[in-house]
Amino acid sequence: MDRREPVVVIRPHELDEPTVVARAQDGDLDAFEYLVGEYQGKLFRLAFRMLNDRGEAEDVVQETLVACWRKLPLLTHAQAFGGWIYQMTTNRCLDTLRRRSTHREIIQEPATLEATADCTFIGPESGGDPACATEISLQLDGLAAALETLPPTQRACWLLREIHGRSYAEIASTLKVTEQIVRGRLARARIQLAEKMSPWR
């Protein structure tokens, strides 16, 4: 009689992130696909708010994920994966902004922004109320316009901290500056955004 123990298959969603990252580093495609599923939407929202252009944001995320798979074996600490992939995305966004023509005109689609702008507005949910939905849409348009007025590094600081919840240390590492500089940029960004968003308060 065969007394061998049954093989237990542990899927990525049943593991903590560092373990999933370690498996992906060993070439486990299921593990990497799980990480892509966890981060792709978050990275797109970051890139979209940084660039205000859907096509460029999609390109940044695609390039980041390809680079991530290629460079993943070089990541020394699996628990640092989140900060590492945010850093790659932010740096690509900043590179894209540097390459842009200073006279380039960006056309913002409000519906697209609304679909990707979770937790970025202040106010009640619409609850099916057309007037409230219109107000929210105006707030989102106002936020997009306000973010566009920030210098790219301030915009990155604000998004990484306020929307994506990254620590001051992680943001400092991402932008290769000190935590003190991060705090200063955040303070200036918050003041400027508060002024721009004052009509909705």
Side-chain angles (χ1 to χ4, degrees):
M1 176 179 281
D2 189 349
R3 295 179 178 275
R4 287 179 299 178
E5 293 292 327
V7 176
V8 178
V9 178
I10 300 177
R11 292 175 173 77
H13 70 273
E14 299 169 335
L15 303 169
D16 60 18
E17 183 172 284
T19 303
V20 177
V21 171
R23 286 191 170 199
Q25 287 181 302
D26 289 336
D28 185 332
L29 282 174
D30 287 339
F32 184 69
E33 286 175 4
Y34 176 79
L35 293 171
V36 169
E38 287 291 296
Y39 280 92
Q40 191 169 23
K42 299 172 186 175
L43 299 181
F44 174 77
R45 286 188 287 273
L46 171 62
F48 186 77
R49 293 187 186 105
M50 279 290 296
L51 303 172
N52 206 15
D53 183 286
R54 187 180 188 86
E56 286 183 338
E58 289 172 346
D59 289 345
V60 162
V61 173
Q62 183 66 28
E63 291 168 8
T64 298
L65 293 174
V66 169
C68 175
W69 175 247
R70 190 175 67 249
K71 297 179 180 179
L72 193 55
L74 303 177
L75 181 64
T76 307
H77 303 292
Q79 64 270 23
F81 178 80
W84 180 65
I85 198 167
Y86 271 109
Q87 180 179 35
M88 286 198 290
T89 305
T90 303
N91 287 340
R92 278 175 168 75
C93 288
L94 293 173
D95 287 344
T96 299
L97 289 170
R98 289 187 196 103
R99 288 194 300 266
R100 278 183 181 173
S101 165
T102 55
H103 302 293
R104 178 178 174 186
E105 181 178 351
I106 301 171
I107 300 174
Q108 173 62 50
E109 300 175 24
T112 303
L113 178 62
E114 185 173 349
T116 59
D118 55 305
C119 303
T120 60
F121 61 85
I122 302 171
E125 295 183 6
S126 66
D129 180 353
C132 190
T134 300
E135 179 69 13
I136 290 171
S137 180
L138 290 172
Q139 286 185 20
L140 293 173
D141 289 349
L143 177 62
L147 284 171
E148 279 287 295
T149 67
L150 296 180
T153 53
Q154 279 188 29
R155 194 184 317 164
C157 283
W158 188 86
L159 289 169
L160 288 169
R161 180 63 182 172
E162 303 295 346
I163 304 302
H164 296 275
R166 311 314 295 182
S167 70
Y168 292 110
E170 287 173 322
I171 298 169
S173 176
T174 293
L175 300 176
K176 296 180 173 59
V177 296
T178 65
E179 289 186 43
Q180 184 177 359
I181 289 175
V182 168
R183 291 176 188 276
R185 287 177 179 174
L186 273 171
R188 290 190 292 275
R190 286 167 177 158
I191 291 169
Q192 189 166 336
L193 289 176
E195 290 174 352
K196 298 288 185 182
M197 297 300 291
S198 60
W200 287 275
R201 292 187 181 278

